[in-house]
Amino acid sequence: MKKTMFDWLKENRIPYGRKDLINEALTHSSYLNEHKEVLHDNERLEFMGDAVLQLWTTEKLFQLEPLLSEGQMTTLRSQLVCEAALAHYSRELGWGAYLLLGVGEERTGGRDRDSLLADMFEAMLGALYLDQGMKPVSMILERVLTPAISEPKNEVLIDYKTKLQEVVQADSRKTLQYELLNTQGPTNHPEFEMAVLLDGIVLGKGKGNSKKRAEQMAAKAAFEKMAR
């Protein structure tokens, strides 16, 4: 018998009561479109979960010792709650297996797409908060996010796009642009190559299994080149 999210919650002793909220948190819009009996996708819960995540992370960073400055807290929080980081947490927990996807989204590799995994992660936090308050949220975030705080240099947690933008804006108000150079591989496991440009000049290139991940890797290459 296939394992469900409810099995995972029970095994990890995460309290829950409302199965309807949990199911809603797992429901991608593509699944909703193909199942007329389903009333809601997870977008509203994602909105709630984002707010809960921001609050929990802010309080956690505020209490760290030695005390961090406002700028340090802002930078670290952006690393900890960026899309790539949330997708990383979701994979660590094994939650991708429980996503409810439409046939087309399933076929094109949606189950391992950063954006979908990040959205579901936030939606689950939102559902658990509405159901049981902050306790189950804290149990999950203590497991995946607290270790990341002590290892903020983990590549997946660093928002290189923001760091690069800050470096560029120190000298000008110019805006960086990202351009898709190439896509290769099967549709269920594509690899994207992106370039980051300033005034038409390529600053860096990067590859990843999503466009956003490739953008981060391009920004990383550019940032490290400019930091030398």
Side-chain angles (χ1 to χ4, degrees):
M1 189 173 179
K2 188 177 180 181
K3 186 176 175 182
T4 68
M5 177 61 87
F6 303 110
D7 295 325
W8 187 94
L9 292 170
K10 289 175 183 176
E11 288 173 7
N12 290 273
R13 299 181 179 179
I14 307 295
Y16 73 92
R18 293 188 56 183
K19 287 190 173 184
D20 59 321
L21 283 176
I22 303 300
N23 282 324
E24 186 176 325
L26 304 176
T27 303
H28 183 253
S29 57
S30 62
Y31 187 88
L32 177 72
N33 294 335
E34 295 177 12
H35 296 79
K36 300 307 179 185
E37 73 279 8
V38 178
L39 300 178
H40 305 287
D41 60 28
N42 62 11
E43 290 180 0
R44 280 170 51 83
L45 286 175
E46 176 199 342
F47 177 80
M48 174 61 75
D50 176 67
V52 173
L53 176 64
Q54 293 283 343
L55 176 61
W56 189 94
T57 307
T58 300
E59 183 176 357
K60 190 76 174 180
L61 295 177
F62 190 84
Q63 294 173 346
L64 281 183
E65 293 186 0
L67 301 180
L68 301 178
S69 68
E70 185 267 346
Q72 289 173 320
M73 288 190 291
T74 299
T75 299
L76 185 48
R77 183 178 62 187
S78 70
Q79 295 173 11
L80 293 167
V81 302
C82 70
E83 181 182 279
L86 301 186
H88 175 73
Y89 305 148
S90 195
R91 290 189 182 96
E92 188 177 336
L93 296 170
W95 282 2
Y98 311 126
L99 254 174
L100 298 176
L101 299 173
V103 174
E105 194 66 55
E106 182 79 69
R107 189 182 300 122
T108 56
R111 192 167 296 281
D112 194 47
R113 191 168 296 133
D114 278 8
S115 58
L116 272 64
L117 290 172
D119 290 350
M120 181 189 65
F121 183 81
E122 289 185 321
M124 275 297 297
L125 296 183
L128 290 169
Y129 174 77
L130 290 174
D131 182 18
Q132 299 284 322
M134 198 58 97
K135 180 181 178 180
V137 172
S138 292
M139 293 174 71
I140 290 168
L141 294 181
E142 286 286 0
R143 176 170 167 177
V144 295
L145 203 143
T146 297
I149 292 175
S150 62
E151 299 176 5
K153 293 183 180 179
N154 185 335
E155 184 180 284
V156 77
L157 303 181
I158 298 177
D159 185 356
Y160 282 104
K161 290 179 67 176
T162 297
K163 291 172 76 72
L164 180 62
Q165 188 69 46
E166 290 171 351
V167 171
V168 170
Q169 289 187 341
D171 297 323
S172 69
R173 304 303 295 180
K174 296 176 182 177
T175 303
L176 295 164
Q177 291 181 309
Y178 290 85
E179 182 178 297
L180 178 64
L181 298 178
N182 186 36
T183 305
Q184 59 185 23
T187 56
N188 65 339
H189 192 65
E191 181 180 65
F192 301 92
E193 182 178 19
M194 302 291 294
V196 56
L197 303 91
L198 182 65
D199 286 346
I201 299 174
V202 176
L203 299 181
K205 299 178 182 178
K207 296 180 179 180
N209 59 6
S210 71
K211 289 182 180 179
K212 289 191 176 182
R213 182 67 180 143
E215 287 176 357
Q216 284 286 349
M217 298 310 293
K220 177 178 184 289
F223 177 78
E224 292 178 344
K225 186 186 301 179
M226 296 178 74
R228 289 172 187 165

